[in-house]
Amino acid sequence: MSRYIIIMSTVIHTPNDLHLVSLVIAAFPGVLEWSVDLEDCDQILRVVCDDCIGLELLKSLDEKGVNAKVLEVFDKEGIPLNNKR
């Protein structure tokens, strides 16, 4: 089974924004764990999942009004997917 780590920059201003993020992530059954660093200036969302769902997650967050940007996607070995050859 593959495993991916998706790193996203988000805009979370309120507890409701965080709740919306939680609802969006709960809709993806392959998510194994996730966290948001609200102390970071980019409010980094880190998602560990079975599938590479970065674009789908981004779209779902946007539909709920949560601004986000995929910064990087890593495979289970920690290699960025955009650096694989």
Side-chain angles (χ1 to χ4, degrees):
M1 169 175 22
S2 295
R3 183 167 285 181
Y4 299 90
I5 301 169
I6 301 167
I7 308 296
M8 303 177 87
S9 171
T10 65
V11 178
I12 298 172
H13 293 297
T14 67
N16 188 54
D17 292 341
L18 188 57
H19 178 70
L20 291 173
V21 170
S22 175
L23 292 175
V24 167
I25 291 174
F28 289 90
V31 172
L32 304 171
E33 61 184 83
W34 66 278
S35 62
V36 178
D37 183 354
L38 296 175
E39 299 297 320
D40 186 279
C41 64
D42 291 319
Q43 300 163 336
I44 297 297
L45 171 62
R46 180 181 177 274
V47 180
V48 179
C49 49
D50 290 332
D51 299 305
C52 189
I53 60 168
L55 295 178
E56 295 90 350
L57 184 56
L58 189 64
K59 181 180 175 188
S60 294
L61 288 168
D62 185 57
E63 289 171 356
K64 292 289 187 184
V66 177
N67 293 321
K69 176 182 174 184
V70 175
L71 299 177
E72 193 68 74
V73 179
F74 298 93
D75 69 8
K76 65 181 176 180
E77 282 85 32
I79 299 170
L81 292 185
N82 63 351
N83 288 342
K84 283 192 166 183
R85 297 176 194 252

